[in-house]
Amino acid sequence: MQRPVEVLFQSLVPGISTITLRLRYYSFFAWVLEAFAKVEQKNDPRAFNTFHRRAEVLLALASAREGSEVGVTGIDWAWRRLSEAGEDEDNGQVIAFDLAAAPDAPLEDRYLRNKGGAFGAIYSTQMYDMDLVELYDEDIGIPYCTSAALLPLAESFEEAVGSRSGEFLEALNDGKASLSQLDDLAVFLPSRVEPGSTEQAALVDALLGRLGKASIENARRRETLRLVLARAEAAAKRPRTEELKWEFFELAD
């Protein structure tokens, strides 16, 4: 009986699912797509798969290092790996993640069993539904940003992380990072979207369907979110699920 429920809620919030747990992944993957296009300058699907999987693992390690992040793909693997490394900052401990990120690595070594990673298995189709990425262009062969829609997200993320973007890409290329490097990359964490920032504004625009072309999916998501926001404003608090459920039933006509 779960499938009809999924169809219903996906019609209310296209582009959001039960496993798109952290909003900042939308701007993070926008930046990853642009970074791959600029750094690699090729359309090899295998190279892209390795690139974005390394980015996901590195984000998981930085998140695990912080200790309080949840909903991050690969965080369980990252916690185990950091636990093995220990906490001694003076021993020059380096965490290698190239094997964990390799799509063809043995299952026991992968940060995520699915070869598509978080982007391929979770976020890519949702971002496609939001008209943020193009996935099925046979002439190019790899996902890329739809210029009018996703570029503002990519640029706002680049602005948010600043000079740390270069450090992230360097560690990604090396396939390893020291504990101090992971500390430096804390600006990448899902919880570090700054209130009032360009990135926050771009994420709001993405959620409300203001980026890219007009579509039925964007309109449905925007109207659902407006209803939730209106209820929150009226109650002056975060609305409870039960309250929203009955209010939505009353709007059924």
Side-chain angles (χ1 to χ4, degrees):
M1 295 181 65
Q2 186 174 353
R3 183 57 186 154
V5 175
E6 292 174 348
V7 171
L8 177 58
F9 84 71
Q10 285 275 247
S11 73
L12 292 171
V13 283
I16 302 172
S17 77
T18 54
I19 52 177
T20 52
L21 301 178
R22 300 306 297 267
L23 179 59
R24 203 181 196 191
Y25 265 121
Y26 291 85
S27 53
F28 172 70
F29 283 130
W31 176 79
V32 167
L33 286 169
E34 279 298 286
F36 179 80
K38 294 175 182 177
V39 173
E40 298 293 334
Q41 298 183 345
K42 56 186 174 183
N43 58 348
D44 180 354
R46 289 184 61 85
F48 172 71
N49 199 15
T50 298
F51 187 89
H52 82 73
R53 283 174 64 91
R54 284 193 178 193
E56 292 173 19
V57 178
L58 187 52
L59 177 63
L61 284 168
S63 298
R65 178 70 173 164
E66 181 72 6
S68 59
E69 295 290 332
V70 296
V72 177
T73 300
I75 193 77
D76 291 340
W77 174 90
W79 274 327
R80 290 195 302 270
R81 191 66 187 85
L82 286 176
S83 177
E84 294 168 2
E87 292 295 325
D88 186 358
E89 298 287 357
D90 298 325
N91 65 2
Q93 181 68 52
V94 172
I95 309 294
F97 55 86
D98 51 342
L99 177 60
D104 297 323
L107 280 177
E108 62 271 18
D109 294 323
R110 296 181 202 166
Y111 75 102
L112 188 69
R113 294 175 66 89
N114 192 301
K115 292 185 177 183
F119 180 76
I122 301 172
Y123 287 90
S124 61
T125 53
Q126 304 300 329
M127 294 173 75
Y128 176 79
D129 286 345
M130 296 171 74
D131 190 37
L132 298 176
V133 300
E134 178 56 62
L135 301 177
Y136 307 111
D137 190 325
E138 294 181 358
D139 293 331
I140 296 180
I142 61 172
Y144 61 90
C145 300
T146 51
S147 57
L150 201 58
L151 286 181
L153 272 176
E155 292 166 356
S156 68
F157 189 89
E158 176 84 26
E159 177 184 319
V161 299
S163 62
R164 299 302 185 193
S165 63
E167 295 180 35
F168 187 98
L169 293 174
E170 182 180 349
L172 184 155
N173 182 64
D174 293 340
K176 58 185 178 182
S178 67
L179 298 181
S180 60
Q181 282 180 304
L182 295 178
D183 291 336
D184 290 340
L185 297 178
V187 292
F188 279 77
L189 302 187
S191 60
R192 297 297 177 91
V193 179
E194 293 296 328
S197 65
T198 304
E199 183 188 10
Q200 186 195 44
L203 285 167
V204 170
D205 285 343
L207 285 177
L208 296 182
R210 296 172 182 157
L211 301 178
K213 62 186 179 183
S215 67
I216 293 175
E217 289 77 15
N218 279 337
R220 286 175 175 171
R221 185 178 60 259
R222 176 168 58 250
E223 292 309 308
T224 300
L225 294 176
R226 282 177 172 170
L227 286 169
V228 175
L229 289 170
R231 180 61 193 169
E233 184 178 36
K237 63 178 182 180
R238 182 191 298 270
R240 296 176 60 248
T241 304
E242 285 293 312
E243 296 168 345
L244 286 173
K245 180 177 73 174
W246 291 111
E247 187 153 330
F248 277 31
F249 273 133
E250 291 172 5
L251 294 169
D253 293 334

